[in-house]
Amino acid sequence: MRGFLAGFHQEMAAHGVKVSGVYPAAVDTPMLHHEALHGGSVLNFIDKVMTPEDVAAATLKAIDSGKLEIYVPWSASILARFFGAFPWMIRPLLPTMEKIGEKGRLKFIARKGFSVE
């Protein structure tokens, strides 16, 4: 999808049309709450959990700037670019990423005041 977006971005620029992709990390929604409490992917909790307002601000930034990619938070772009360049590293790093994600999930649950079933 990112490859398609890059090509479309370049093609439409000649016509004055801005095309951007907004890539948010996990967003604090009822769906994420359910995932946190009912066995969803802990990888959602590796980075900062974003608010819907954060995503809306990033979308406005994309509209204003016309940048190809907007990551929310910006730090999420580091992993995306790393694994894009070195996809073979996903498998060996997955256990570490899952540990980091589980810690993030537990912090998220505690911050929200949810009780773990």
Side-chain angles (χ1 to χ4, degrees), residues 69-89:
E69 297 179 328
I70 305 286
Y71 288 85
V72 187
W74 179 84
S75 59
S77 71
I78 297 168
L79 274 180
R81 291 180 175 138
F82 177 80
F83 287 127
F86 307 103
W88 56 270
M89 290 294 296

Side-chain angles (χ1 to χ4, degrees), residues 3-4 12 26-27 32-34 37 39 46-47 52 69 76 79 99 113:
F4 170 77
M12 296 309 293
V27 180
L32 186 67
H33 301 173
H34 180 81
L37 297 171
I46 286 177
D47 215 326
E69 297 179 328
L79 274 180
K99 286 178 186 174

Side-chain angles (χ1 to χ4, degrees), residues 20-86:
S20 302
V22 177
Y23 304 105
V27 180
D28 191 350
T29 63
M31 185 173 101
L32 186 67
H33 301 173
H34 180 81
E35 287 191 35
L37 297 171
H38 298 97
S41 174
V42 295
L43 298 178
N44 286 319
F45 302 96
I46 286 177
D47 215 326
K48 177 182 174 191
V49 173
M50 307 310 298
T51 67
E53 293 80 11
D54 294 329
V55 178
T59 301
L60 292 174
K61 180 180 177 181
I63 291 168
D64 290 341
S65 71
K67 286 180 68 172
L68 174 59
E69 297 179 328
I70 305 286
Y71 288 85
V72 187
W74 179 84
S75 59
S77 71
I78 297 168
L79 274 180
R81 291 180 175 138
F82 177 80
F83 287 127
F86 307 103

